[in-house]
Amino acid sequence: MKKTAAQAPGKRLPGLDVDALWRLDRVGAPSLSPDGAQAVVPVTRFDMEKNSGSTSLWLLSTLGGEPRRLTQAGDKDGQPQWSPAGNDIAFIARRDQEGDKDESAQLYVIPPDGGEARRVTQMPFGVECFKWFPDGRRIAFVSWVDPVLKGQSAQRGRHQADKDRKATGYVTEEAFYRFWDHCLPMGRVPHLHVVDLDTGKVRDLFEGTDYELSRAEPDATTFDISPDGRRIAFSFDPAPTKLLDHRNALAEIDVRSGKTQVLLQDGDWDFTAPCYSHAGHHLAFLASHQALKHTMPNWLAVLDTQGHWAVLSEDWDHDVAAPLRWDEDDLGLLCLAEDRGRRHLWRFDVKTLTAFVLFEGAHAGAFALEAGTLVLLHDSVAFPPRVSVLEREGDVDEQQVRRIERFNDDVLDDHAIGRHEEVWFTGALGEQVQMWLIYPPGFDSRKKHPLLHLIHGGPHTAFGDSWHWRWNHQVMAAQGYVVACVNYHGSSSFGQGFLDSITHRWGELELQDVEAATDLLLTRPWADPQRVFATGGSYGGYMVAWMNGHVAPGRYRAYVCHAGCYDWQAMFANDAYHWHAKELGAWYWERPERVAAQSPHHFAAHFHTPTLVIHGQMDYRVPDAQGLAYYNTLKAQGIDARLVWFPDENHWVLKPQNSQLWYAEFFDWLKRYDKKSKRS
């Protein structure tokens, strides 16, 4: 067995730092050749000095051999998909070919043996995502278009008019008009198109109809092509007024005639992620019974050709993630789902209605299956995403995972990786709560160490055994902190009851869990009670602000609040405002006292603890006025506070040098209040 850097004898290596983090390759989801012999993956590499990154495609042999770089000319070559015959790989990119530079991302194809990529589309507004038709001669893709206009010539005219427009005002009457960090295109919606690879002819399948795909960044899971290539199933919002939280229906369009029929529509349910079986007799999809609760999970469901449908996984208390994939015998469905702070690849048997683990994470991020070969993209707190082949014979405990790339080994071999462990304790309601601990490299339990809570966002997500590019556990632990990640009540992967338990009482149970974790950790002989910190982003930032108004001064030396929710009434300016009443239990104009009782700003008189506030101006999920209001409140009360405000960042921090600044400010703030005790 190859020794890792942390295992190498007689050599003390540094822990991971932010510069090393940005030197790591970021490997994307794999696509397999039809014979399963090769995988293609996008690999993104960043240049700190240039403050930018580029993505190229790489071929990986599943049988052995060195990786081979396939593309080099593009800046962002992404979403690669192998053709059904294996003679081409399609991908999306912005390129410059003989002086003809793409203004927006277009569809390209390239032979796997190499050569020049060929541009397939010249869509005025670009291409979002795509899927191959089974015949390998056509590709279905998504592009945002003006639904009133007909023909590509008219769309090009609209595009030119947009370019010529000098006014910058955004004008809309839509209820859903911006998403995460961008305004939705004025007067345009996402349509399904088909392109013929031989002729280059493009058809808008939704032209002249009211159909459109989800406006929330539609991807290739929103539609699927039947095995005979004659039909495309897709999910859509049937309501005339589109909202982010609306319930989708399923429809099917005949590719030749353009005739569309609604397959499944029920106002109580949300139907998404359609997937045809290989024989074409069944359509699998995700179904969430939203009429019961807005927090209901996505269940596996199947529709037959007679119009009968059934939920398969109602008794399996897991939230299933798209995409779905029928196993090669059509007797099972492959899917990804979280389970107690981990994410596995499962096979759900459609006859016995039972699920079993095909690959047990850490964290399974993506998978591909062709000709009996199963390839995984997976990661852990201990390593970034990597690509492996899973040998499917035998029980799970006997299965072998074989890596087929070594992209990041050179960087990781030069750094020590801290160990991590799973801890369970009694939290709110007397229930068991999970916590992950990440220790500094070379951790010595005989010495005193500071504690750093890293509180996750959501709230209905989880910090698990996974690699995080923005809030990296290893980078934080390398500074000497024991990092604690509590999966408080409301977190995903622990069942529907646990997830829904915080509804209409945000802050209450979560704080009890974090405080119980702190109490437990302070019983450890290595924990320094004078050096305890709490940090968090998004809902984790909300929790940090909530703690400032509810926890006695001195318990935590300092807080860091990144993109934190501060005032739930003012938060109505965000892109997900229709969720607020569902989560908080009331609209702010109907029961303002109930909303205020769950809002950190309502407890500002009790703030005492120094706080670093970080926010990005392009954040539409938690608008930057939230961070500014929190910072201003702290300053007005004479409480130590520091503001880091990024005019060019969104909910996250995605630019290399901004990330470098983020980590520097983060650690400098903690060090300012990290007063080592005499026992350290």
Side-chain angles (χ1 to χ4, degrees):
M1 176 181 175
K2 178 182 176 181
K3 291 185 177 180
T4 65
Q7 297 170 315
K11 186 178 181 181
R12 187 174 182 84
L13 296 173
L16 201 69
D17 60 18
V18 63
D19 292 324
L21 182 69
W22 282 93
R23 287 199 303 272
L24 292 170
D25 292 343
R26 304 191 182 192
V27 184
S31 173
L32 274 171
S33 59
D35 60 4
Q38 293 187 91
V40 58
V41 295
V43 179
T44 302
R45 291 174 173 168
F46 288 91
D47 186 310
M48 182 65 73
E49 184 176 348
K50 294 180 180 179
N51 200 33
S52 62
S54 61
T55 304
S56 56
L57 305 183
W58 287 73
L59 292 176
L60 311 177
S61 172
T62 63
L63 306 175
E66 292 297 315
R68 178 169 63 88
R69 187 169 179 172
L70 180 63
T71 66
Q72 301 189 47
D75 290 332
K76 300 288 182 182
D77 295 347
Q79 302 182 44
Q81 291 293 326
W82 224 290
S83 69
N87 56 319
D88 275 313
I89 294 171
F91 62 99
I92 292 175
R94 292 178 63 176
R95 292 181 157 227
D96 186 343
Q97 290 192 336
E98 299 179 353
D100 185 7
K101 189 174 183 179
D102 295 327
E103 294 184 13
S104 54
Q106 301 294 335
L107 190 60
Y108 285 81
V109 294
I110 188 172
D113 294 336
E116 186 65 30
R118 177 170 67 92
R119 183 189 287 127
V120 173
T121 62
Q122 289 184 306
M123 297 298 295
F125 299 106
V127 174
E128 297 288 322
C129 58
F130 70 94
K131 279 184 178 177
W132 284 94
F133 273 79
D135 61 13
R137 299 171 58 186
R138 295 167 294 166
I139 293 177
F141 66 90
V142 177
S143 182
W144 290 72
V145 298
D146 186 330
V148 177
L149 303 178
K150 293 186 177 181
Q152 292 303 301
S153 178
Q155 298 294 342
R156 283 191 290 271
R158 165 64 196 272
H159 179 254
Q160 187 61 47
D162 287 354
K163 289 176 60 179
D164 294 341
R165 183 175 185 258
K166 298 298 187 290
T168 59
Y170 184 88
V171 182
T172 188
E173 294 185 19
E174 298 286 351
F176 176 32
Y177 58 95
R178 57 182 192 168
F179 188 58
W180 282 116
D181 61 359
H182 62 279
C183 291
L184 300 188
M186 286 193 296
R188 291 192 285 120
V189 298
H191 276 192
L192 259 179
H193 298 72
V194 174
V195 60
D196 186 293
L197 296 184
D198 293 331
T199 66
K201 183 180 178 181
V202 173
R203 286 179 56 210
D204 181 346
L205 295 181
F206 292 168
E207 187 176 88
T209 76
D210 293 329
Y211 288 107
E212 61 179 74
L213 298 179
S214 168
R215 299 182 186 180
E217 296 183 351
D219 59 22
T221 68
T222 60
F223 67 95
D224 197 34
I225 304 171
S226 65
D228 59 12
R230 295 178 178 177
R231 297 158 290 140
I232 299 180
F234 61 93
S235 60
F236 73 102
D237 180 356
T241 299
K242 310 304 180 187
L243 292 173
L244 186 57
D245 63 344
H246 265 173
R247 299 164 190 177
N248 290 285
L250 295 178
E252 187 178 63
I253 187 168
D254 183 281
V255 176
R256 176 175 292 181
S257 68
K259 183 179 179 181
T260 301
Q261 64 169 332
V262 175
L263 297 176
L264 201 56
Q265 181 176 340
D266 186 324
D268 291 344
W269 292 80
D270 182 35
F271 302 128
T272 56
C275 177
Y276 287 100
S277 63
H278 295 94
H281 298 151
H282 295 88
L283 185 73
F285 57 96
L286 297 179
S288 178
H289 200 174
Q290 290 289 292
L292 292 181
K293 284 181 179 291
H294 73 283
T295 56
M296 289 298 289
N298 280 316
W299 288 326
L300 288 170
V302 168
L303 172 72
D304 65 21
T305 55
Q306 305 303 313
H308 303 127
W309 74 283
V311 171
L312 304 183
S313 63
E314 185 174 1
D315 295 331
W316 186 48
D317 197 4
H318 289 71
D319 184 38
V320 180
L324 306 179
R325 173 71 157 83
W326 287 89
D327 207 346
E328 292 172 312
D329 58 8
D330 273 355
L331 297 178
L333 284 162
L334 274 59
C335 62
L336 297 169
E338 292 180 318
D339 185 66
R340 295 159 62 93
R342 297 175 175 86
R343 195 171 191 242
H344 309 317
L345 174 63
W346 306 78
R347 184 185 187 276
F348 192 92
D349 190 291
V350 298
K351 287 191 173 182
T352 64
L353 304 186
T354 55
F356 66 88
V357 174
L358 281 179
F359 170 76
E360 183 173 358
H363 180 265
F367 67 95
L369 172 64
E370 296 291 343
T373 300
L374 183 58
V375 169
L376 292 153
L377 181 72
H378 61 109
D379 57 280
S380 162
V381 167
F383 57 83
R386 57 177 54 162
V387 184
S388 300
V389 173
L390 177 67
E391 310 294 348
R392 297 183 68 183
E393 291 77 15
D395 297 330
V396 172
D397 294 337
E398 301 173 354
Q399 290 177 351
Q400 299 295 317
V401 176
R402 175 169 49 84
R403 281 187 70 188
I404 58 175
E405 49 75 31
R406 300 284 171 180
F407 285 118
N408 289 311
D409 287 9
D410 288 346
V411 175
L412 294 176
D413 284 350
D414 289 335
H415 296 83
I417 299 298
R419 69 179 178 90
H420 64 285
E421 69 174 345
E422 176 186 9
V423 176
W424 289 84
F425 62 93
T426 302
L429 306 178
E431 296 177 343
Q432 288 296 290
V433 174
Q434 184 194 63
M435 171 172 59
W436 293 92
L437 295 179
I438 301 90
Y439 295 93
F443 174 77
D444 187 345
S445 61
R446 297 169 297 180
K447 296 180 179 181
K448 290 291 182 179
H449 295 271
L451 300 176
L452 177 64
H453 275 289
L454 191 57
I455 305 175
H456 72 71
H460 304 310
T461 61
F463 259 144
D465 187 1
S466 60
W467 188 265
H468 204 291
W469 289 110
R470 295 181 302 276
W471 291 66
N472 189 267
H473 309 81
Q474 294 294 340
V475 172
M476 294 178 178
Q479 295 291 314
Y481 299 98
V482 175
V483 179
C485 302
V486 177
N487 280 324
Y488 50 75
H489 278 78
S491 300
S492 59
S493 78
F494 302 93
Q496 170 62 16
F498 190 87
L499 182 142
D500 188 61
S501 62
I502 67 170
T503 299
H504 300 172
R505 53 173 173 175
W506 278 14
E508 177 187 338
L509 303 184
E510 307 93 296
L511 178 57
Q512 293 179 40
D513 292 339
V514 173
E515 284 287 79
T518 301
D519 289 340
L520 173 65
L521 291 171
L522 290 180
T523 66
R524 305 289 173 91
W526 45 260
D528 190 337
Q530 303 302 316
R531 302 164 68 199
V532 184
F533 304 88
T535 68
S538 193
Y539 194 85
Y542 161 82
M543 281 304 303
V544 164
W546 182 262
M547 292 166 70
N548 209 349
H550 288 80
V551 177
R555 169 82 156 177
Y556 299 94
R557 297 293 300 174
Y559 294 130
V560 177
C561 175
H562 171 94
C565 312
Y566 174 67
D567 177 350
W568 282 118
Q569 180 170 324
M571 269 286 287
F572 215 72
N574 82 338
D575 63 341
Y577 60 95
H578 273 270
W579 281 331
H580 293 197
K582 296 178 181 181
E583 295 284 12
L584 301 174
W587 299 110
Y588 75 83
W589 57 86
E590 293 180 343
R591 296 189 61 185
E593 75 287 351
R594 184 168 194 174
V595 174
Q598 300 171 77
S599 185
H601 88 283
H602 190 62
F603 303 91
H606 304 291
F607 292 167
H608 293 91
T609 303
T611 301
L612 172 65
V613 179
I614 308 174
H615 227 109
Q617 187 181 27
M618 296 169 61
D619 188 349
Y620 297 162
R621 181 56 50 93
V622 182
D624 67 332
Q626 294 287 302
L628 298 178
Y630 185 28
Y631 173 75
N632 291 352
T633 301
L634 295 169
K635 299 302 285 188
Q637 296 185 71
I639 300 170
D640 285 355
R642 185 175 177 88
L643 174 68
V644 180
W645 180 81
F646 295 99
D648 56 346
E649 294 287 0
N650 53 20
H651 197 59
W652 312 283
V653 176
L654 303 178
K655 296 180 174 63
Q657 291 187 22
N658 282 345
S659 174
Q660 194 177 51
L661 174 64
W662 188 97
Y663 276 103
E665 291 287 343
F666 185 97
F667 292 134
D668 285 349
W669 183 257
L670 297 181
K671 289 175 183 176
R672 182 187 298 188
Y673 299 95
D674 188 353
K675 309 299 182 183
K676 292 186 178 181
S677 68
K678 295 180 180 180
R679 295 172 294 167
S680 296

